Amino acid sequence: METAWFSVHLEARAPEGAAQTVNEDAADRLRDLLVEHHGIVSSGAGQWVVTIRLEEPGPVRAAAVAAALVESLAAAAGLPDWPRSEERRVGKECRSR
C-alpha cells in the first residue's frame, strides 16, 4: 500500500464553564512525547493545539491516527481532557527533489 506524509492539525478547547487553565509543563511533556512526529504544541487560555506529521495511506486515515495518538499522549502528559474541536486540517506534504 502506497503512503504519503501528512501534516495534521488538532485543537482542543475547554467546554463552557470548565477551568480555562493549561499547565505549561504538561504542554512541554506532550511536545517531548511527540518528538518523533515533529510535533508542534501550543497552549493558551482555554485551548491547546497540536500539529504533527505522519505517514499514512490517505488523509482520512492520517486524521484518525493523529487524533487517537494525540489524545492518548495528551492524557499521559497531563493536559485537560477537553473535546477536540471539529476542525481538523490535514495537508499532504510535498517534497522537492
Side-chain angles (χ1 to χ4, degrees), residues 31-65:
R31 187 176 301 109
D32 292 343
L33 292 170
L34 290 171
V35 72
E36 72 182 77
H37 297 283
H38 303 276
I40 298 169
V41 179
S42 60
S43 60
Q47 72 175 3
W48 53 268
V49 180
V50 174
T51 302
I52 64 170
R53 315 177 48 231
L54 64 165
E55 188 175 18
E56 291 295 333
V60 173
R61 174 132 172 99
V65 169

Side-chain angles (χ1 to χ4, degrees), residues 8-22:
V8 181
H9 177 88
L10 299 137
E11 297 180 19
R13 296 177 191 242
E16 192 172 319
Q20 301 287 309
T21 306
V22 175

Side-chain angles (χ1 to χ4, degrees), residues 56-88:
E56 291 295 333
V60 173
R61 174 132 172 99
V65 169
L69 175 68
V70 169
E71 285 177 357
S72 69
L73 294 178
L79 283 169
D81 185 22
W82 293 334
R84 269 190 342 266
S85 71
E86 289 304 312
E87 178 183 359
R88 286 189 276 186

